[in-house]
Coordinates of all heavy atoms in Angstrom, one line a residue:
M563 N -3.7 1.3 -1.2 CA -2.9 0.3 -0.4 C -1.8 -0.2 -1.3 O -0.6 -0.3 -0.9 CB -3.7 -1.0 0.0 CG -3.1 -1.7 1.0 SD -4.3 -2.6 1.9 CE -4.2 -4.3 1.3
F564 N -2.1 -0.5 -2.5 CA -1.0 -0.9 -3.4 C -0.6 0.1 -4.4 O -1.3 0.3 -5.5 CB -1.2 -2.2 -4.2 CG -1.5 -3.3 -3.2 CD1 -2.8 -3.9 -3.0 CD2 -0.4 -3.8 -2.4 CE1 -2.8 -4.9 -2.1 CE2 -0.6 -4.9 -1.5 CZ -1.9 -5.5 -1.3
T565 N 0.2 1.1 -4.1 CA 0.4 2.2 -5.0 C 1.8 2.1 -5.6 O 2.6 3.1 -5.4 CB 0.2 3.6 -4.2 OG1 1.0 3.6 -3.0 CG2 -1.2 3.7 -3.9
F566 N 2.3 1.1 -6.1 CA 3.5 0.9 -6.5 C 3.6 1.5 -7.9 O 2.7 1.7 -8.6 CB 3.9 -0.6 -6.7 CG 4.0 -1.3 -5.3 CD1 3.2 -2.3 -5.1 CD2 4.7 -0.8 -4.3 CE1 3.2 -3.0 -3.9 CE2 4.6 -1.4 -3.1 CZ 3.8 -2.5 -2.8
A567 N 4.8 2.0 -8.3 CA 5.1 2.2 -9.7 C 4.9 0.9 -10.6 O 4.7 -0.1 -10.1 CB 6.5 2.6 -9.8
P568 N 4.6 1.3 -11.9 CA 4.1 0.2 -12.8 C 5.1 -0.9 -12.9 O 5.7 -1.2 -14.1 CB 3.9 0.9 -14.2 CG 4.7 2.1 -14.0 CD 4.8 2.5 -12.7
R569 N 5.5 -1.5 -11.8 CA 6.5 -2.7 -11.8 C 5.6 -3.9 -11.8 O 5.5 -4.6 -10.7 CB 7.5 -2.6 -10.8 CG 8.4 -1.4 -10.6 CD 9.5 -1.5 -11.6 NE 10.3 -0.2 -11.5 CZ 11.4 0.0 -12.3 NH1 11.4 -0.9 -13.3 NH2 12.1 1.0 -12.1
D570 N 4.9 -4.2 -12.8 CA 3.8 -5.1 -12.7 C 3.5 -5.6 -14.0 O 3.7 -5.1 -15.1 CB 2.6 -4.3 -12.2 CG 1.3 -5.2 -12.1 OD1 0.8 -5.5 -13.0 OD2 0.9 -5.2 -10.9
A571 N 3.3 -7.0 -14.1 CA 3.0 -7.5 -15.4 C 1.8 -8.6 -15.3 O 1.9 -9.3 -14.1 CB 4.3 -8.1 -15.8
E572 N 1.0 -8.7 -16.3 CA 0.0 -9.7 -16.1 C 0.6 -11.1 -16.5 O 1.4 -11.3 -17.4 CB -1.1 -9.4 -17.1 CG -2.3 -10.4 -17.0 CD -3.5 -9.8 -17.8 OE1 -3.9 -8.8 -17.6 OE2 -4.1 -10.7 -18.6
T573 N 0.2 -12.1 -15.7 CA 0.6 -13.5 -16.1 C -0.6 -14.3 -16.4 O -1.7 -13.9 -16.5 CB 1.1 -14.2 -14.7 OG1 0.2 -14.5 -13.9 CG2 2.2 -13.2 -14.0
S574 N -0.3 -15.5 -16.8 CA -1.4 -16.5 -17.2 C -2.0 -17.3 -16.1 O -2.7 -18.2 -16.2 CB -0.9 -17.3 -18.4 OG 0.1 -18.1 -18.0
L575 N -1.3 -17.1 -14.9 CA -1.7 -18.0 -13.8 C -3.1 -17.3 -13.1 O -3.2 -16.2 -12.9 CB -0.7 -17.9 -12.6 CG 0.5 -18.9 -12.8 CD1 1.2 -18.6 -14.1 CD2 1.4 -18.9 -11.7
P576 N -4.0 -18.4 -12.8 CA -5.3 -17.8 -12.3 C -5.2 -17.5 -10.7 O -4.4 -18.3 -10.0 CB -6.2 -18.9 -12.5 CG -5.3 -20.0 -12.6 CD -3.9 -19.7 -13.1
C577 N -5.9 -16.6 -10.3 CA -6.0 -16.3 -8.9 C -6.5 -17.4 -8.1 O -7.7 -18.0 -8.6 CB -6.7 -15.0 -8.7 SG -7.2 -14.6 -7.1
P578 N -6.1 -17.9 -7.0 CA -6.7 -19.0 -6.4 C -8.1 -18.6 -5.8 O -8.9 -19.6 -5.5 CB -5.8 -19.2 -5.2 CG -4.5 -18.7 -5.6 CD -4.9 -17.5 -6.4
H579 N -8.4 -17.4 -5.7 CA -9.7 -17.0 -5.1 C -10.7 -16.8 -6.3 O -11.8 -17.2 -6.1 CB -9.6 -15.7 -4.4 CG -8.9 -15.9 -3.0 ND1 -9.6 -16.2 -1.9 CD2 -7.6 -16.1 -2.7 CE1 -8.7 -16.3 -0.8 NE2 -7.5 -16.4 -1.4
C580 N -10.5 -16.0 -7.3 CA -11.4 -15.7 -8.3 C -11.1 -16.1 -9.9 O -11.9 -15.8 -10.6 CB -11.6 -14.1 -8.2 SG -10.2 -13.2 -8.8
Q581 N -10.0 -16.7 -9.9 CA -9.6 -17.3 -11.1 C -9.3 -16.3 -12.2 O -9.0 -16.6 -13.4 CB -10.7 -18.4 -11.7 CG -11.3 -19.3 -10.7 CD -10.0 -20.1 -10.0 OE1 -9.1 -20.6 -10.7 NE2 -10.0 -20.3 -8.8
R582 N -9.2 -15.0 -11.8 CA -8.8 -14.0 -12.7 C -7.3 -14.1 -13.0 O -6.6 -14.5 -12.0 CB -9.2 -12.6 -12.2 CG -10.7 -12.5 -12.0 CD -11.3 -12.2 -13.4 NE -12.7 -11.7 -13.2 CZ -13.0 -10.6 -14.0 NH1 -12.2 -10.0 -14.7 NH2 -14.2 -10.1 -13.8
P583 N -6.8 -13.6 -14.0 CA -5.2 -13.5 -14.1 C -4.6 -12.8 -13.0 O -5.0 -11.7 -12.8 CB -5.0 -12.9 -15.5 CG -6.3 -12.9 -16.2 CD -7.3 -12.9 -15.1
L584 N -3.6 -13.4 -12.4 CA -2.7 -12.8 -11.5 C -1.8 -11.9 -12.2 O -1.4 -12.2 -13.3 CB -2.1 -13.9 -10.6 CG -2.8 -14.6 -9.5 CD1 -1.9 -15.7 -9.0 CD2 -3.3 -13.7 -8.4
H585 N -1.3 -10.8 -11.4 CA -0.2 -10.1 -11.9 C 1.0 -10.4 -11.0 O 0.8 -10.6 -9.8 CB -0.6 -8.6 -11.8 CG -1.5 -8.1 -12.9 ND1 -1.4 -7.0 -13.5 CD2 -2.6 -8.6 -13.4 CE1 -2.2 -6.8 -14.3 NE2 -3.0 -7.8 -14.3
I586 N 2.2 -10.3 -11.5 CA 3.4 -10.3 -10.9 C 3.8 -8.9 -10.6 O 3.7 -8.0 -11.6 CB 4.4 -11.2 -11.4 CG1 5.6 -11.1 -10.6 CG2 4.9 -10.6 -12.8 CD1 6.7 -12.3 -11.1
A587 N 4.2 -8.5 -9.4 CA 4.6 -7.2 -9.0 C 5.7 -7.2 -8.1 O 5.9 -8.1 -7.4 CB 3.3 -6.6 -8.4
R588 N 6.4 -6.1 -8.1 CA 7.5 -6.0 -7.1 C 7.3 -4.6 -6.4 O 6.8 -3.6 -6.7 CB 8.9 -5.9 -7.9 CG 9.0 -4.7 -8.9 CD 10.2 -4.7 -9.6 NE 11.3 -4.2 -9.0 CZ 12.4 -3.8 -9.5 NH1 12.5 -4.0 -10.7 NH2 13.4 -3.2 -8.7
S589 N 7.8 -4.7 -5.2 CA 8.0 -3.5 -4.3 C 9.6 -3.3 -4.3 O 10.2 -3.6 -5.3 CB 7.5 -3.6 -2.9 OG 8.1 -4.7 -2.3
C590 N 10.1 -2.6 -3.4 CA 11.4 -2.3 -3.5 C 12.3 -3.6 -3.5 O 13.2 -3.7 -4.3 CB 11.9 -1.5 -2.2 SG 11.1 0.2 -2.0
H591 N 12.1 -4.6 -2.7 CA 13.1 -5.6 -2.5 C 12.3 -7.0 -2.6 O 13.0 -8.0 -2.5 CB 13.8 -5.7 -1.3 CG 14.7 -4.4 -1.1 ND1 15.8 -4.3 -2.0 CD2 14.7 -3.3 -0.4 CE1 16.4 -3.1 -1.7 NE2 15.8 -2.5 -0.8
E592 N 11.1 -6.9 -2.9 CA 10.4 -8.3 -3.0 C 9.5 -8.3 -4.2 O 8.9 -7.3 -4.5 CB 9.8 -8.6 -1.7 CG 8.6 -7.7 -1.4 CD 7.8 -8.2 -0.1 OE1 8.0 -9.4 0.3 OE2 7.1 -7.4 0.5
V593 N 9.3 -9.6 -4.6 CA 8.4 -9.8 -5.7 C 7.4 -10.6 -5.3 O 7.5 -11.6 -4.4 CB 9.1 -10.5 -6.8 CG1 8.1 -10.7 -8.1 CG2 10.2 -9.6 -7.4
F594 N 6.0 -10.4 -5.7 CA 4.9 -11.2 -5.2 C 4.0 -11.2 -6.3 O 4.0 -10.6 -7.3 CB 4.4 -10.6 -3.9 CG 4.2 -9.0 -4.0 CD1 2.8 -8.6 -4.4 CD2 5.0 -8.1 -3.7 CE1 2.5 -7.2 -4.6 CE2 4.7 -6.8 -3.8 CZ 3.6 -6.4 -4.3
M595 N 2.9 -12.0 -6.2 CA 1.8 -12.1 -7.0 C 0.6 -11.4 -6.3 O 0.4 -11.4 -5.1 CB 1.4 -13.6 -7.2 CG 2.5 -14.5 -7.6 SD 3.1 -14.0 -9.2 CE 1.8 -14.5 -10.4
R596 N 0.0 -10.6 -7.2 CA -1.3 -9.9 -6.7 C -2.5 -10.1 -7.7 O -2.2 -10.1 -8.8 CB -1.0 -8.5 -6.4 CG -0.8 -7.7 -7.6 CD -0.7 -6.2 -7.3 NE -0.6 -5.4 -8.5 CZ -1.6 -4.9 -9.0 NH1 -2.9 -5.2 -8.5 NH2 -1.6 -4.2 -10.0
C597 N -3.7 -10.0 -7.0 CA -4.8 -10.1 -8.0 C -5.5 -8.8 -8.0 O -5.8 -8.3 -7.0 CB -5.8 -11.2 -7.4 SG -7.3 -11.3 -8.2
P598 N -5.6 -8.3 -9.3 CA -6.2 -7.0 -9.3 C -7.7 -6.9 -9.1 O -8.2 -5.9 -8.9 CB -5.9 -6.5 -10.9 CG -5.4 -7.7 -11.5 CD -5.0 -8.7 -10.5
S599 N -8.3 -8.1 -9.2 CA -9.8 -8.2 -8.9 C -10.2 -8.2 -7.6 O -11.0 -7.5 -7.1 CB -10.2 -9.5 -9.7 OG -9.9 -9.4 -11.1
C600 N -9.6 -9.2 -6.8 CA -10.0 -9.3 -5.4 C -8.8 -8.6 -4.6 O -9.0 -8.6 -3.3 CB -10.2 -10.7 -4.9 SG -8.8 -12.0 -5.1
E601 N -7.8 -8.1 -5.1 CA -6.8 -7.3 -4.4 C -6.1 -8.1 -3.3 O -5.7 -7.5 -2.3 CB -7.4 -6.0 -3.7 CG -7.9 -5.1 -4.9 CD -8.3 -3.7 -4.4 OE1 -8.4 -3.6 -3.2 OE2 -8.5 -2.8 -5.3
K602 N -5.9 -9.3 -3.5 CA -5.1 -10.2 -2.6 C -3.7 -10.2 -3.1 O -3.5 -10.2 -4.4 CB -5.8 -11.5 -2.5 CG -7.1 -11.6 -1.8 CD -7.5 -13.0 -1.6 CE -9.0 -13.0 -0.9 NZ -9.0 -12.4 0.4
C603 N -2.9 -10.6 -2.2 CA -1.4 -10.8 -2.5 C -1.1 -12.1 -2.1 O -1.6 -12.7 -1.1 CB -0.5 -9.8 -1.9 SG -0.7 -8.1 -2.7
F604 N -0.1 -12.7 -2.9 CA 0.2 -14.1 -2.7 C 1.9 -14.1 -2.7 O 2.4 -13.6 -3.7 CB -0.3 -15.1 -3.6 CG -1.9 -15.0 -3.8 CD1 -2.5 -14.2 -4.6 CD2 -2.7 -15.7 -2.8 CE1 -3.8 -14.2 -4.8 CE2 -4.1 -15.6 -2.9 CZ -4.6 -14.9 -3.9
P605 N 2.4 -15.0 -1.8 CA 3.8 -15.2 -1.9 C 4.4 -15.8 -3.3 O 3.7 -16.6 -3.7 CB 4.2 -16.2 -0.7 CG 3.0 -16.1 0.1 CD 1.8 -15.9 -0.8
L606 N 5.3 -15.1 -3.8 CA 5.7 -15.5 -5.1 C 6.2 -17.0 -5.2 O 5.9 -17.7 -6.2 CB 7.0 -14.6 -5.6 CG 7.5 -15.0 -7.0 CD1 6.6 -14.8 -8.0 CD2 8.8 -14.2 -7.2
K607 N 6.8 -17.4 -4.1 CA 7.3 -18.7 -4.1 C 6.3 -19.8 -4.4 O 6.6 -20.9 -4.9 CB 8.1 -19.0 -2.8 CG 7.2 -19.0 -1.5 CD 8.1 -19.3 -0.3 CE 7.2 -19.9 0.9 NZ 7.2 -18.7 1.8
E608 N 5.1 -19.6 -3.9 CA 4.0 -20.6 -4.1 C 3.7 -20.8 -5.6 O 3.1 -21.9 -6.1 CB 2.7 -20.2 -3.5 CG 2.9 -20.2 -1.9 CD 1.5 -19.8 -1.3 OE1 0.4 -19.7 -2.0 OE2 1.7 -19.4 0.1
F609 N 4.1 -19.7 -6.4 CA 3.8 -19.8 -7.7 C 5.0 -20.2 -8.7 O 4.9 -20.3 -9.9 CB 3.1 -18.5 -8.2 CG 1.9 -18.2 -7.6 CD1 1.8 -17.6 -6.4 CD2 0.7 -18.7 -8.1 CE1 0.7 -17.4 -5.7 CE2 -0.5 -18.5 -7.4 CZ -0.6 -17.9 -6.2
I610 N 6.2 -20.1 -8.2 CA 7.4 -20.4 -8.9 C 7.3 -21.7 -9.6 O 7.8 -21.8 -11.0 CB 8.6 -20.5 -7.8 CG1 9.0 -19.1 -7.3 CG2 9.9 -20.9 -8.7 CD1 9.7 -18.2 -8.4
P611 N 6.9 -22.7 -9.1 CA 6.8 -24.1 -10.0 C 6.0 -23.9 -11.2 O 6.1 -24.7 -12.1 CB 6.2 -25.1 -9.0 CG 6.5 -24.5 -7.6 CD 6.4 -23.0 -7.7
K612 N 5.0 -23.0 -11.1 CA 4.1 -22.8 -12.3 C 4.4 -21.6 -13.1 O 3.6 -21.1 -13.8 CB 2.7 -22.5 -11.7 CG 2.2 -23.8 -11.0 CD 0.6 -23.7 -10.5 CE 0.6 -23.0 -9.1 NZ -0.7 -23.0 -8.5
A613 N 5.4 -21.0 -12.9 CA 5.8 -19.7 -13.5 C 5.6 -19.7 -15.1 O 6.2 -20.7 -15.7 CB 7.3 -19.3 -13.1
D614 N 5.2 -18.8 -15.5 CA 4.9 -18.6 -17.0 C 6.0 -17.8 -17.6 O 6.8 -17.2 -16.9 CB 3.6 -18.3 -17.4 CG 3.1 -17.0 -17.1 OD1 4.2 -16.2 -16.5 OD2 2.0 -16.5 -17.2
A615 N 6.1 -17.6 -18.9 CA 7.0 -16.8 -19.6 C 6.8 -15.3 -19.1 O 8.0 -14.7 -18.9 CB 6.7 -16.8 -21.2
A616 N 5.7 -14.8 -18.9 CA 5.6 -13.5 -18.4 C 6.4 -13.2 -17.0 O 7.0 -12.3 -16.6 CB 4.2 -13.0 -18.2
M617 N 6.1 -14.3 -16.1 CA 6.8 -14.3 -14.8 C 8.3 -14.3 -14.9 O 9.1 -13.7 -14.3 CB 6.3 -15.5 -13.9 CG 4.8 -15.1 -13.5 SD 4.2 -16.5 -12.5 CE 5.4 -16.7 -11.1
E618 N 8.8 -15.4 -15.8 CA 10.2 -15.5 -16.0 C 10.9 -14.3 -16.4 O 12.0 -13.9 -16.0 CB 10.5 -16.7 -16.8 CG 10.2 -17.9 -16.1 CD 10.4 -19.3 -16.9 OE1 10.8 -19.1 -18.1 OE2 10.1 -20.4 -16.5
K619 N 10.3 -13.6 -17.4 CA 10.7 -12.4 -18.0 C 10.8 -11.3 -16.9 O 11.8 -10.5 -16.8 CB 9.9 -11.9 -19.2 CG 10.5 -10.8 -19.9 CD 9.9 -10.5 -21.2 CE 10.5 -9.4 -21.9 NZ 9.5 -8.5 -22.4
F620 N 9.7 -11.2 -16.2 CA 9.7 -10.2 -15.1 C 10.8 -10.5 -14.1 O 11.5 -9.4 -13.8 CB 8.3 -10.3 -14.5 CG 8.1 -9.1 -13.4 CD1 7.4 -7.8 -13.9 CD2 8.4 -9.3 -12.1 CE1 7.3 -7.0 -12.9 CE2 8.2 -8.2 -11.2 CZ 7.6 -7.0 -11.7
M621 N 10.9 -11.6 -13.6 CA 11.9 -12.0 -12.7 C 13.3 -11.7 -13.1 O 14.3 -11.4 -12.4 CB 11.8 -13.5 -12.2 CG 10.5 -13.5 -11.2 SD 10.3 -15.1 -10.5 CE 9.7 -16.1 -11.8
E622 N 13.6 -12.0 -14.5 CA 14.8 -11.7 -14.9 C 15.3 -10.2 -14.8 O 16.4 -9.9 -14.8 CB 15.0 -12.1 -16.4 CG 15.1 -13.5 -16.6 CD 15.2 -14.0 -18.2 OE1 15.0 -13.1 -19.1 OE2 15.0 -15.2 -18.4
N623 N 14.2 -9.4 -15.0 CA 14.5 -8.1 -14.8 C 14.7 -7.6 -13.5 O 15.1 -6.5 -13.2 CB 13.3 -7.2 -15.4 CG 13.3 -7.4 -16.9 OD1 14.4 -7.5 -17.5 ND2 12.1 -7.2 -17.5
V624 N 14.4 -8.3 -12.4 CA 14.4 -7.9 -11.1 C 15.6 -8.6 -10.3 O 16.3 -7.9 -9.6 CB 13.2 -8.6 -10.3 CG1 13.3 -8.4 -8.8 CG2 11.9 -7.9 -10.7
Y625 N 15.9 -9.8 -10.5 CA 17.2 -10.4 -10.0 C 18.3 -10.5 -11.0 O 18.1 -10.9 -12.1 CB 16.7 -11.9 -9.5 CG 15.5 -11.9 -8.5 CD1 14.3 -12.5 -8.9 CD2 15.7 -11.3 -7.3 CE1 13.3 -12.5 -7.9 CE2 14.7 -11.4 -6.4 CZ 13.5 -11.9 -6.8 OH 12.4 -12.0 -5.8
C626 N 19.4 -10.5 -10.3 CA 20.5 -10.8 -11.1 C 20.8 -12.2 -11.3 O 21.1 -12.7 -12.4 CB 21.8 -10.2 -10.5 SG 21.8 -8.4 -10.4
D627 N 20.5 -13.0 -10.2 CA 20.6 -14.4 -10.2 C 19.2 -15.0 -10.3 O 18.3 -14.5 -9.7 CB 21.3 -14.9 -8.9 CG 22.6 -14.3 -8.9 OD1 23.5 -14.5 -9.8 OD2 23.1 -13.9 -7.7
R628 N 19.0 -16.1 -11.0 CA 17.8 -16.6 -11.1 C 17.5 -17.3 -9.7 O 18.4 -17.9 -9.1 CB 17.7 -17.8 -12.2 CG 18.2 -17.3 -13.5 CD 17.0 -16.2 -13.9 NE 15.8 -16.9 -14.0 CZ 15.3 -17.6 -15.0 NH1 16.0 -17.6 -16.1 NH2 14.0 -18.0 -15.1
V629 N 16.3 -17.4 -9.3 CA 15.9 -18.0 -8.2 C 15.5 -19.6 -8.3 O 15.1 -19.9 -9.3 CB 14.7 -17.4 -7.5 CG1 15.0 -16.2 -6.7 CG2 13.6 -17.0 -8.6
Ligands
ZN2022 ZN1 -8.6 -12.8 -7.2

């Protein structure tokens, strides 16, 4: 189901479901959070206020402008 290229980075944010570290991932035009343990995806915007360094670095590589 999620067969993206390795446009993915581990973050320090816990999954709301299983508390495992979420990954930030991107598809063609959107970035989202996903959990490799329970395979759920979450809208990135819910996690923006809590963004850690890994997420900020990832997003800098995705967007020209900061969100
Ligand atoms: Zn999970």
Side-chain angles (χ1 to χ4, degrees):
M563 196 153 100
F564 299 111
T565 52
F566 302 122
R569 304 279 187 190
D570 180 294
E572 187 172 309
T573 75
S574 61
L575 276 64
C577 174
H579 287 262
C580 67
Q581 312 306 313
R582 299 284 195 129
L584 285 171
H585 284 221
I586 185 169
R588 64 182 271 195
S589 60
C590 296
H591 295 293
E592 66 175 342
V593 179
F594 51 89
M595 304 299 289
R596 72 176 183 86
C597 175
S599 297
C600 58
E601 299 190 342
K602 291 182 183 299
C603 287
F604 304 96
L606 178 66
K607 65 174 192 265
E608 294 180 11
F609 296 91
I610 291 283
K612 298 182 276 190
D614 68 4
M617 287 175 64
E618 289 182 359
K619 187 168 182 230
F620 188 90
M621 288 186 284
E622 279 174 8
N623 291 331
V624 173
Y625 301 117
C626 296
D627 300 311
R628 301 297 302 269
V629 277

